Amino acid sequence: MTFRIDRRSLILTGTLGLGAYAIPGFAAQGPNWSADGFTHNVASGEPSATSMLLWTRYVAKGDSAKLRVEVSASADFARIVAGGEAITGPWRDWTSKITVTGLQPGTRYFYRFVAPDGSFSPVGRTRTLPQGSAARFGIAVFSCSNLPFGYFNAYGHAAARDDIDLAVHLGDYIYEYQKGGYAPASGAVGGRWPLPDGEIIHLADYRLRYASYRADPDLAALHAAKPMIVQWDDHESTNDSWEGGAQNHQPNEGDWAIRKAAAFQAWREWMPVSDEPWKVYAIGSLATLFRTETRLIGRTKPPEAAALFMAPDSAAAIAAFRDGPWQDKAMTMMGWEQEAWLAQEMARSVKAGTRWQMVGFGTIMGKTMTPRQAGEWLAPDAPERAKRYVQAGVALSAAGLPMNFDNWGGYPAARERFLSSAQAMGANLIVLAGDSHNAWAYDLAQDGKPAGVEFAGQSVSSPGYEGSIKVDPNMVARALVEGNLELKWCDTSNRGYMAVTVTPNSVRNDWIFVDTVLTPSKTARIGHSATVTRGRNVMA
């Protein structure tokens, strides 16, 4: 029997410009797109101490429109302190991005766009990064937001907080699947089916899917309230993507390069991001935050374990793979150019005396193996894919291999290069990660010595392990921690986000659990907290 070991098996439950259109499931709360004009809320991103990128979308009756942006220190816009102009049209899906400069560090601003007819966009708020010393800085970290699986209550909760200075999204901002392809068996929660109905493959598809997601009121509120640094993972293109292809791209779906280009273009149109694939953000002397790209530009094809189980002697095949191809030094997550860039910029941060080096990755770096008792966790009606995934994970882990080859577990030489570099330069390393839908805290080590800590966040709405297991989730968490040396804590059954508080001498992460994703709610709690003290590179 042939099968592919798919990292999502265990967590499964059951050239056009877009003008005026409506998204099912959002009629009561979403914007009115029955006429031309501003169709979505505003957004800000790419923050620095003195500049900010501002985003909106405006559909005109003609073939183009010139928009103006106004920035003020007060909500009444009594005095305009910065601004700019840009022309938009159907060639960029009527989206507009303007970078304003000359701002003051660590300052809150209000902004709005002005249309040719004098109408205004909704008003947004943003905050520049600090310059020099700073006593504290708050970051909300998100990943894996799936419309059909539930409400984006995590976004709404973070948007209302006054102690969050910046939002970071580590990927899976959208999902690419066709209607019902990755959704609850009973149908989308609250009728939250995104458009189009089919899997997104072409540019028009990607544009419409982003329009669907950006219509969500909680996401709109977050973008309007906080600047956001955004990076993609795989679902912004398609599942388990890499430079030359993807698990969820089939030959009958056309040329991968064309699909990848469409995903790139729609992303750059709809997100408050620059065209730089990776970037450095200086949070004064407090921290340097690094936005990375670990999917479409330089990543080599991840290992596939399925063939190992088809060999006459699967145990021997697994051992040979572990001792050979798995350790291939040519394998890279980021590509060689980005690896060199990141090492250079991290060293520059350390040399400048910056207190913390914080790196955002789409997928988890901490070593994670499947406990031998994992097969006993599954519900009798768990999908066959989930059962095969767990069985394979147990067999691989018995040979000393990780449960997931699509994250850093499939690229051990690249992981070693990164962590060894961080150790050599004396970095105070904080890795932020998403992707898994579950919550994790790791003490990262290399050659038996501390190298940094990793805070990996649970999803906004995508399901975790709870969808397929029959046992107490606490039992699952305990077994995972007991079976993995670097893993210090985990949770596999809650949704939400991470709230990271950075101070000169410590970084604390709170895993914020929302009470539900099945109905709109702003109730949440701190599920767990972990702290690292500067100079230790392990959690307290």
Side-chain angles (χ1 to χ4, degrees), residues 296-490:
L296 301 179
I297 296 178
R299 179 198 272 243
T300 45
K301 186 177 182 180
E304 293 191 32
L308 302 175
F309 294 90
M310 298 172 62
D313 187 343
S314 61
I318 292 171
F321 167 76
R322 176 198 62 205
D323 299 335
W326 180 61
Q327 300 185 44
D328 189 347
K329 289 181 170 54
M331 298 280 287
T332 172
M333 284 278 280
M334 294 186 284
W336 295 100
E337 179 185 356
Q338 188 182 182
E339 280 196 24
W341 166 84
L342 184 56
Q344 176 181 318
E345 292 301 325
M346 285 179 63
R348 192 192 311 275
S349 172
V350 172
K351 188 175 181 179
T354 305
R355 307 294 287 179
W356 301 95
Q357 289 70 47
M358 307 180 72
V359 184
F361 289 129
T363 59
I364 289 174
M365 178 168 281
K367 292 181 178 178
T368 317
M369 297 182 183
T370 304
R372 63 180 182 278
Q373 64 267 46
E376 303 169 5
W377 300 343
L378 295 178
D381 60 349
E384 285 301 314
R385 289 178 298 177
K387 295 175 181 178
R388 292 195 297 266
Y389 181 92
V390 170
Q391 292 166 359
V394 170
L396 292 171
S397 295
L401 289 165
M403 65 165 63
N404 188 354
F405 291 157
D406 184 66
N407 67 16
W408 286 87
Y411 303 79
R415 177 194 136 113
E416 179 179 350
R417 289 193 296 270
F418 172 75
L419 293 178
S420 294
S421 173
Q423 288 174 324
M425 69 181 66
N428 284 273
L429 175 64
I430 306 291
V431 170
L432 304 173
D435 178 64
S436 76
H437 305 183
N438 302 290
W440 316 81
Y442 296 90
D443 282 338
L444 301 173
Q446 183 57 46
D447 297 326
K449 300 176 182 178
V453 303
E454 179 175 28
F455 301 139
Q458 71 277 27
S459 64
V460 170
S461 64
S462 300
Y465 289 173
E466 74 276 9
S468 296
I469 62 174
K470 64 179 180 180
V471 299
D472 181 354
N474 293 319
M475 179 188 303
V476 174
R478 283 195 300 271
L480 284 164
V481 171
E482 291 169 359
N484 290 283
L485 184 62
E486 291 187 342
L487 182 61
K488 303 306 175 184
W489 171 86
C490 72

Side-chain angles (χ1 to χ4, degrees), residues 13 24 30 53 100 121-122 145 150 222 239 276 295 306 311 407 438 455 502 520:
T13 306
L53 184 152
V100 295
S121 72
S145 41
L222 179 63
N239 187 54
E276 300 156 282
R295 277 291 172 189
N407 67 16
N438 302 290
F455 301 139
V502 187

Side-chain angles (χ1 to χ4, degrees), residues 58-308:
Y58 178 86
V59 177
K61 295 183 185 302
D63 59 2
S64 66
K66 180 188 287 188
L67 301 180
R68 178 165 51 91
V69 71
E70 298 177 339
V71 180
S72 177
S74 61
D76 62 3
F77 290 85
R79 179 171 173 265
I80 306 302
V81 299
E85 293 181 326
I87 297 173
T88 188
W91 62 88
R92 55 176 303 113
D93 204 14
W94 296 99
T95 63
S96 182
K97 294 189 285 190
I98 300 175
T99 297
V100 295
T101 59
L103 305 179
Q104 295 299 308
T107 301
R108 185 178 72 172
Y109 289 99
F110 299 85
Y111 64 96
R112 65 188 180 188
F113 287 82
V114 186
D117 62 3
S119 62
F120 294 107
S121 72
V123 173
R125 291 173 294 156
T126 193
R127 183 181 293 275
T128 52
L129 299 181
Q131 195 170 60
S133 61
R136 73 168 299 281
F137 193 83
I139 307 173
V141 183
F142 305 92
S143 62
C144 306
S145 41
N146 183 299
L147 274 175
F149 273 109
Y151 290 89
F152 294 167
N153 294 329
Y155 291 151
H157 186 270
R161 292 180 59 163
D162 292 330
D163 59 344
I164 297 297
D165 302 297
L166 174 70
V168 171
H169 203 295
L170 296 173
D172 297 346
Y173 183 102
I174 65 169
Y175 282 75
E176 81 278 12
Y177 296 102
Q178 74 275 18
K179 186 175 183 179
Y182 183 48
S186 57
V189 172
R192 291 163 61 86
W193 292 116
L195 292 178
D197 287 346
E199 182 174 329
I200 55 175
I201 298 171
H202 307 292
L203 178 57
D205 302 335
Y206 283 99
R207 285 173 165 175
L208 188 51
R209 189 61 57 89
Y210 276 108
S212 295
Y213 274 73
R214 290 293 298 271
D216 179 82
D218 289 312
L219 178 54
L222 179 63
H223 273 303
K226 315 286 183 186
M228 182 183 285
I229 293 172
V230 197
Q231 61 190 64
W232 61 61
D233 191 33
D234 53 340
H235 290 290
E236 287 83 356
S237 54
T238 194
N239 187 54
D240 288 1
S241 52
W242 57 284
E243 181 183 9
Q247 177 273 330
N248 195 33
H249 181 75
Q250 315 309 325
N252 64 357
E253 293 175 325
D255 189 330
W256 168 245
I258 295 175
R259 183 177 189 177
K260 183 167 72 168
F264 268 126
Q265 180 172 337
W267 158 268
R268 287 169 173 154
E269 291 169 348
W270 279 86
M271 293 291 97
V273 295
S274 69
D275 289 342
E276 300 156 282
W278 44 79
K279 194 170 181 178
V280 176
Y281 305 88
I283 306 174
S285 60
L286 190 61
T288 306
L289 178 62
F290 301 89
R291 169 167 64 83
T292 66
E293 196 289 320
T294 57
R295 277 291 172 189
L296 301 179
I297 296 178
R299 179 198 272 243
T300 45
K301 186 177 182 180
E304 293 191 32
L308 302 175

